[in-house]
Amino acid sequence: MSDTTEAPPTELVGGKYRLTRMLGKGGMGSVWEGVHTSLGTHVAVKFIETEYVDSQEARSRFENEARAAAKLASKHVVKVHDHGVMSDGRPFIVMEYLSGEPLDARLSRVGRISIQETAVIVQQVARALNKAHEAGIVHRDLKPENVFLVRDDEDGTEIAKVVDFGIAKFTDASGGLSSSTRTGSVLGTPYYMSPEQARGLRSVDTRSDLWSLAVIAYRAVVGELPFVGEAVGDLLVQICVSPTPVPSQKVPGLPPAFDAWIARALGKEPGARFQSAAEMAEAREVIEVFQHEI
C-alpha cells in the first residue's frame, strides 16, 4: 500500500474509534491509524473503498480476513478487535496497531538478511501457520508483504506477525472446502505460489503455505527469488518444472544444512515436503543454521 496524506473522515468507527491518519491505500482498500476515544489505545482500521463496496469478491476477502484472524489466538497473527459497517456502507475491520515494517520493505532496503534472522522469522511464522492449519485455515497468500516485523521497544527485539488472510481457504470439520473456494482458480502472489496453486488445483492444502514460507526464506537469505519468469505464465511453468536452485551456489558460505532444508521444503509434490509447519520449523537443518555464521 502507498502512503497518502488524505484527510481522515470525522465519523467514529464503530462509535468509538477516531481516525487520525491514513497508513496506506492500495488495491480495493485502505488502512488508517485510529484511537479509541475513551481508552486512548491505538488501532489500525481497514476499509473496503467505496467503489468496491458492492463487489462480492472484495466483501468475501474482507470477511475471510476478519473471520480467520479473529479465530486464531497467537502472538504471531495480527489481532482483530472489531468489525462492522460504516454509515456509507463500507465494511471495516479494527485490528491491533503494528509498529515496525513488513518483511518486503526490510528486504527492499537491505537486499538480504542473515541466515539466523531468517531462521527466527521462519520459526515464528511457522507457529502462526501451525495455529491456522490446526483451525482448518490455509492462508494461500503468504509472502514478505504479509509478514510484519513488529518492534518491541521494551526488550529491543522483533517478532513476526502474519497478516492478511483475505484469500484464506477454510475447511469444515470433515475436511471439505469452504463454499468460497472456487475450483480451478489461481489465487495468491505468483512468485510465492506452490506448484499446486500454479496449476489451479482444488487440492491445495496446508503444505502449499509451507512452500510459500520456504520461498520467503530463500529470498531473505539469498537475496533473490528461486523461480522467475518474463511473464506470469512462464513463471508458473518454472515453479512447476524447474529444478530448485541450490542456495550455497548463489551465496558461497551458506551451510549444507540450509541447502538440504530448502531442497525438501521446495519439493514439487506436496508429499515430498515437510508435512506440517511444526516439522518444518523444528527440522534439524533449521536448528543448525542458528549456530552458523557467514
Side-chain angles (χ1 to χ4, degrees):
M1 286 192 174
S2 59
D3 292 330
T4 177
T5 56
E6 185 176 329
T10 57
E11 181 184 354
L12 293 180
V13 177
K16 54 191 170 185
Y17 298 102
R18 176 174 52 84
L19 301 179
T20 55
R21 64 186 177 107
M22 182 179 281
L23 299 173
K25 185 175 184 178
M28 295 181 288
S30 60
V31 179
W32 296 73
E33 180 180 1
V35 178
H36 193 291
T37 54
S38 60
L39 300 177
T41 52
H42 286 251
V43 296
V45 184
K46 189 171 186 178
F47 295 96
I48 293 179
E49 290 303 287
T50 305
E51 58 265 39
Y52 296 106
V53 165
D54 294 327
S55 165
Q56 186 55 47
E57 179 187 356
R59 283 183 171 272
S60 177
R61 290 186 63 152
F62 217 66
E63 181 182 342
N64 265 10
E65 182 171 1
R67 179 181 164 202
K71 193 174 181 180
L72 302 176
S74 170
K75 68 178 181 179
H76 298 297
V77 176
V78 64
K79 292 182 177 64
V80 168
H81 301 307
D82 200 357
H83 76 285
V85 180
M86 300 291 283
S87 61
D88 61 3
R90 287 183 302 152
F92 66 83
I93 302 173
V94 180
M95 305 174 289
E96 67 174 312
Y97 180 82
L98 302 180
S99 176
E101 65 179 344
L103 180 56
D104 68 317
R106 173 77 52 87
L107 294 176
S108 294
R109 190 175 73 253
V110 303
R112 63 187 186 89
I113 59 178
S114 75
I115 199 167
Q116 294 91 345
E117 289 177 278
T118 302
V120 172
I121 292 170
V122 164
Q123 290 194 319
Q124 294 185 350
V125 171
R127 289 174 197 153
L129 291 179
N130 199 52
K131 286 275 190 179
H133 296 166
E134 286 178 347
I137 300 170
V138 184
H139 190 286
R140 292 200 297 184
D141 197 21
L142 199 61
K143 55 188 176 181
E145 181 182 343
N146 288 337
V147 176
F148 205 97
L149 305 176
V150 182
R151 288 188 291 268
D152 186 334
D153 293 331
E154 286 190 10
D155 58 16
T157 61
E158 282 185 333
I159 66 168
K161 287 180 180 277
V162 176
V163 304
D164 198 348
F165 284 80
I167 63 169
K169 184 177 87 172
F170 293 76
T171 59
D172 60 26
S174 62
L177 299 182
S178 67
S179 59
S180 63
T181 303
R182 294 171 292 172
T183 303
S185 61
V186 176
L187 297 170
T189 302
Y191 289 114
Y192 297 89
M193 280 184 179
S194 65
E196 56 270 29
Q197 269 185 298
R199 296 187 183 103
L201 301 181
R202 182 168 178 163
S203 57
V204 169
D205 62 22
T206 57
R207 294 169 295 182
S208 180
D209 284 344
L210 306 187
W211 167 285
S212 301
L213 180 54
V215 176
I216 291 173
Y218 185 101
R219 165 65 185 89
V221 172
V222 176
E224 61 185 54
L225 290 158
F227 304 105
V228 295
E230 293 185 3
V232 173
D234 182 43
L235 169 62
L236 299 183
V237 170
Q238 297 298 318
I239 289 171
C240 293
V241 303
S242 291
T244 299
V246 179
S248 64
Q249 292 181 358
K250 301 285 187 177
V251 180
L254 288 177
F258 186 67
D259 289 344
W261 185 84
I262 285 291
R264 183 174 177 190
L266 293 181
K268 300 296 184 185
E269 296 299 326
R273 300 173 206 152
F274 297 104
Q275 297 300 290
S276 72
E279 181 188 7
M280 186 176 185
E282 295 165 7
R284 173 183 54 80
E285 294 88 350
V286 175
I287 304 303
E288 284 186 17
V289 301
F290 277 108
Q291 283 78 46
H292 183 82
E293 295 184 4
I294 301 174

